């Protein structure tokens, strides 16, 4: 529902009807619509953490790991982008708590990206002059910007564009 309409227009009645539950059941689990959105956010964080760990475990080398990390970032953020955007716009205490969780997640994601770059430099897969401070931030920004400004672009194509740009550049 949140992908189809704004949080303001979605009513609890819409949620319970779509879920096939009663209002009492909804309120047994969530105090408000915002709490439901926050639960979606918590699920997105857990899913992204799991996907990033799986990317590291399954990777053949640092470039493969980086591509898998970009894929996880794109897929999870694309799936949960609308509820996260709605929660971030809210001014309640609950949304402030989740904005802080998002900041903490961003720090972890940037640290994982930086660690990948460090491993890639050490193994000779990446150039030694890669900026370890700026590159993770720019990569994370490419994912967010791609999702915001190219919402109709298929996820694999966005992953490919970001990975190719980062790993191969634009020079012939």
């Amino acid at each position: 529902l949140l992908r189809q309409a704004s949080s303001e227009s979605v009513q609890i009645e819409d949620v319970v009807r779509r879920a096939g539950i009663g209002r009492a059941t909804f309120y047994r689990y969530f105090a408000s619509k915002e709490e439901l959105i926050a639960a979606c956010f918590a699920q997105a964080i857990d899913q992204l953490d799991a996907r990033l760990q799986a990317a590291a475990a399954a990777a053949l080398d640092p470039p493969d790991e980086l591509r898998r990390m970009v894929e996880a970032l794109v897929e999870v953020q694309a799936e949960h982008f609308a509820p996260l955007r709605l929660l971030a716009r809210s001014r309640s205490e609950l949304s402030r708590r989740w904005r802080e969780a998002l900041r903490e997640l961003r720090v972890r994601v940037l640290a994982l990206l930086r660690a990948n770059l460090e491993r890639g430099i050490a193994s000779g897969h990446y150039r030694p002059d890669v900026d370890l401070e700026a590159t993770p931030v720019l990569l994370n920004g490419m994912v967010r910007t791609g999702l915001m400004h190219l919402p109709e672009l298929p996820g694999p194509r966005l992953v490919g564009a970001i990975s190719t740009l980062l790993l191969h550049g634009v020079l012939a």
Side-chain angles (χ1 to χ4, degrees), residues 30-41 87-88 90-102:
F30 305 104
S32 66
K33 179 173 51 176
E34 189 175 65
E35 287 238 357
L36 172 63
I37 296 170
C40 292
F41 182 63
L87 183 63
S90 174
R91 300 288 181 230
S92 73
E93 181 56 39
L94 183 62
S95 67
R96 280 191 286 284
R97 185 176 75 209
W98 288 107
R99 279 195 302 271
E100 182 57 35
L102 183 57

Side-chain angles (χ1 to χ4, degrees), residues 29-124:
Y29 294 96
F30 305 104
S32 66
K33 179 173 51 176
E34 189 175 65
E35 287 238 357
L36 172 63
I37 296 170
C40 292
F41 182 63
Q43 180 183 18
I45 288 175
D46 292 345
Q47 187 179 5
L48 183 56
D49 276 339
R51 290 283 309 272
L52 291 172
Q53 289 175 18
L60 302 173
D61 55 28
D64 183 49
E65 178 187 9
L66 188 61
R67 186 199 54 74
R68 291 171 186 266
M69 291 170 73
V70 168
E71 182 177 65
L73 289 166
V74 166
E75 289 177 0
V76 173
Q77 289 184 46
E79 182 179 344
H80 298 283
F81 191 72
L84 297 179
R85 187 179 68 235
L86 295 171
L87 183 63
R89 282 193 288 204
S90 174
R91 300 288 181 230
S92 73
E93 181 56 39
L94 183 62
S95 67
R96 280 191 286 284
R97 185 176 75 209
W98 288 107
R99 279 195 302 271
E100 182 57 35
L102 183 57
R103 279 188 214 90
E104 291 171 11
L105 176 63
R106 182 178 180 273
V107 167
R108 288 196 316 268
V109 167
L110 293 178
L112 289 170
L113 292 170
R114 181 185 177 114
N116 171 273
L117 295 172
E118 289 170 343
R119 283 191 300 280
I121 291 169
S123 68

